[in-house]
Amino acid sequence: MGRKPCCDKIGMKRGPWTIEEDHKLINFILNNGIHCWRIVPKLAGLLRCGKSCRLRWINYLRPDLKRGGFTPDDEDRIIELHSRLGNRWSKIASHFPGRTDNEIKNHWNTKIKRKMKLLGLDPITHKPIDNNTEQTHPNQSPDPPVNAQATNDDHVLLNSFESLFEDMGMESLFQIPETNMSSSLASNPSMSSVDESNSMNISTSESSYLPEDSTSFEQWNVLDMVDPLVPWDLFGNLQDNSFHL
DNA sequence: AAGTTACTCAACCGCTATGTA
DNA sequence: TTACATAGCGGTTGAGTAACT
């Protein structure tokens, strides 16, 4: 009995992730899937704790992530879901394929909350605030529309991913036309069991947000095509001897 | 151009739920 | 049954950047 703690803080790197770290994590997960976050940083050669790796993958590196702003329809839906579910961001995020709970939470706190206040609505109760000073013109929108913006960061990251795949000799995989992330996950039990609420199912219609002129993230279905370099089964024997922290 | 303020969002912290020895 | 590890969640922070003076 008695497992080792997930990580200690000594010697662990913190703060923003570098491209190199992203490459290591992506490379490792593409080849091995996700089985146990605790040992991911060790095997991937990262000075991060497993928790940090998990967060980075889920919130930023996951191939099915939908980037860019929320549409007014999305915002309406978030408000409606929030009125029913409260601050259960993961539940709300499960209604938005490709969106993370963190992303929705941030959007709520920075945009929607403010809009609701300007419209005289209490963001907690969703009921009108009895305060005329907070009323504003219904058509007034404090924030410019930000939907469907593909950021430069996306392209920078995408380019770096392409470089990585080229380094791995996988550039030809970018030409695979069929996209079905769910099938790729079905073939990889360790991936499909990671987080059902953040299902990595992605349909072609759902991927329509992707810029036409770039290599889209949906081509990450290479997950299905990569031969594992190191099967997870092999890690089981190593765990007790090699991963004490 | 420089300084200040406001805003965004990635990342961290701490907690709970669940699984396991 | 108990104690502990791990995954996941929600709240919060702070670095980076945009907007403003």
Side-chain angles (χ1 to χ4, degrees):
Chain A
M1 196 176 73
R3 297 183 183 177
K4 300 295 174 288
C6 115
C7 63
D8 57 25
K9 310 276 178 176
I10 301 169
M12 288 294 169
K13 190 172 181 298
R14 297 180 51 178
W17 281 63
T18 64
I19 291 288
E20 286 76 18
E21 288 177 308
D22 284 345
H23 280 183
K24 284 182 181 177
L25 184 57
I26 293 163
N27 192 358
F28 181 82
I29 291 176
L30 285 180
N31 283 307
N32 304 294
I34 303 165
H35 182 73
C36 172
W37 284 111
R38 185 171 68 93
I39 63 175
V40 164
K42 285 270 181 189
L43 296 173
L46 291 162
L47 291 172
R48 299 274 185 173
C49 70
K51 198 171 179 177
S52 182
C53 293
R54 174 187 161 272
L55 210 63
R56 181 64 178 172
W57 174 259
I58 288 173
N59 286 339
Y60 201 78
L61 299 177
R62 242 171 59 198
D64 65 326
L65 278 182
K66 186 175 177 177
R67 313 294 296 183
F70 289 86
T71 66
D73 283 347
D74 287 340
E75 292 190 348
D76 288 345
R77 200 141 161 255
I78 291 170
I79 292 168
E80 194 269 321
L81 287 165
H82 185 270
S83 71
R84 295 197 339 239
L85 301 169
N87 292 0
R88 295 160 77 183
W89 304 115
S90 64
K91 296 287 182 196
I92 294 173
S94 69
H95 290 76
F96 295 87
R99 299 290 192 179
T100 67
D101 54 350
N102 206 35
E103 191 178 13
I104 289 174
K105 180 174 62 181
N106 281 334
H107 192 70
W108 174 268
N109 286 328
T110 60
K111 301 271 183 65
I112 299 177
K113 225 170 157 181
R114 189 151 37 99
K115 276 187 184 177
M116 289 183 74
K117 284 179 181 174
L118 286 169
L119 292 169
L121 295 170
D122 186 335
I124 299 170
T125 64
H126 293 255
K127 292 177 179 172
I129 300 168
D130 188 17
N131 183 350
N132 291 334
T133 59
E134 302 206 32
Q135 295 286 348
T136 186
H137 192 282
N139 291 332
Q140 181 178 341
S141 176
D143 298 301
V146 292
N147 47 313
Q149 287 176 348
T151 67
N152 286 336
D153 286 350
D154 291 334
H155 294 286
V156 169
L157 193 59
L158 192 57
N159 288 337
S160 71
F161 289 159
E162 289 184 37
S163 300
L164 173 65
F165 284 119
E166 286 172 12
D167 291 346
M168 296 166 69
M170 294 160 61
E171 64 274 13
S172 61
L173 294 173
F174 281 113
Q175 297 167 6
I176 298 166
E178 183 64 31
T179 62
N180 191 335
M181 185 60 72
S182 57
S183 67
S184 67
L185 290 169
S187 70
N188 189 338
S190 65
M191 287 291 281
S192 60
S193 64
V194 171
D195 185 1
E196 291 185 2
S197 68
N198 284 325
S199 164
M200 295 180 75
N201 291 345
I202 182 169
S203 68
T204 51
S205 62
E206 284 165 348
S207 62
S208 59
Y209 59 85
L210 293 161
E212 290 179 0
D213 60 342
S214 66
T215 306
S216 67
F217 283 116
E218 62 185 317
Q219 285 158 326
W220 275 68
N221 68 350
V222 293
L223 281 170
D224 201 27
M225 313 299 293
V226 178
D227 291 332
L229 296 178
V230 186
W232 274 105
D233 292 345
L234 293 179
F235 300 154
N237 296 333
L238 296 173
Q239 195 164 339
D240 288 341
N241 299 326
S242 308
F243 305 121
H244 289 177
L245 297 171

